[in-house]
Amino acid sequence: MMSSRQTDESGSISVRVYPPFTGGKGTLDLTVPCDQDGVAVGDLLGTLRRHGTLNVPELRGRTDESAWSHAIVLAQGRVLKLGDIVKPGDRVSVLPPMSGG
């Protein structure tokens, strides 16, 4: 079960989801339990989608890396791919793509 509070509990990952992926709820801070071996980013995002926390219509039913041009997933200062593993204690951010000049 996910919690809407952010903690440093052993066996959990802190996730911050930014609009527009929150379905109009503003920025969400979540705690997602996981075992000590960690979890693949794709599985973590799938869990968030199943619980209605991650609202990314462009990603429905898609598992390929190119689908993630609609979202950026960061942890420990680096961009993650779907197969990358995040471990308990990690802080993960899900952001919209950015552009600038």
Side-chain angles (χ1 to χ4, degrees):
M1 174 178 280
M2 292 187 302
S3 167
S4 62
R5 61 186 177 85
Q6 192 172 21
T7 67
D8 263 1
E9 297 171 16
S10 176
S12 65
I13 298 168
S14 297
V15 181
R16 178 170 278 184
V17 182
Y18 291 88
F21 305 133
T22 59
K25 298 176 188 168
T27 301
L28 296 176
D29 289 317
L30 307 163
T31 299
V32 180
C34 76
D35 63 34
Q36 294 301 316
D37 294 329
V39 62
V41 170
D43 293 337
L44 174 65
L45 296 175
T47 297
L48 294 173
R49 283 196 310 244
R50 281 190 301 280
H51 283 85
T53 305
L54 185 63
N55 182 11
V56 186
E58 298 86 355
L59 300 180
R60 282 198 188 108
R62 297 200 45 199
T63 58
D64 56 294
E65 291 283 338
S66 65
W68 288 99
S69 63
H70 299 283
I72 298 170
V73 182
L74 298 172
Q76 279 58 297
R78 65 184 187 94
V79 176
L80 302 177
K81 294 183 178 183
L82 296 179
D84 290 340
I85 303 295
V86 289
K87 300 211 174 208
D90 284 349
R91 293 176 163 282
V92 175
S93 296
V94 182
L95 304 109
M98 297 175 212
S99 65

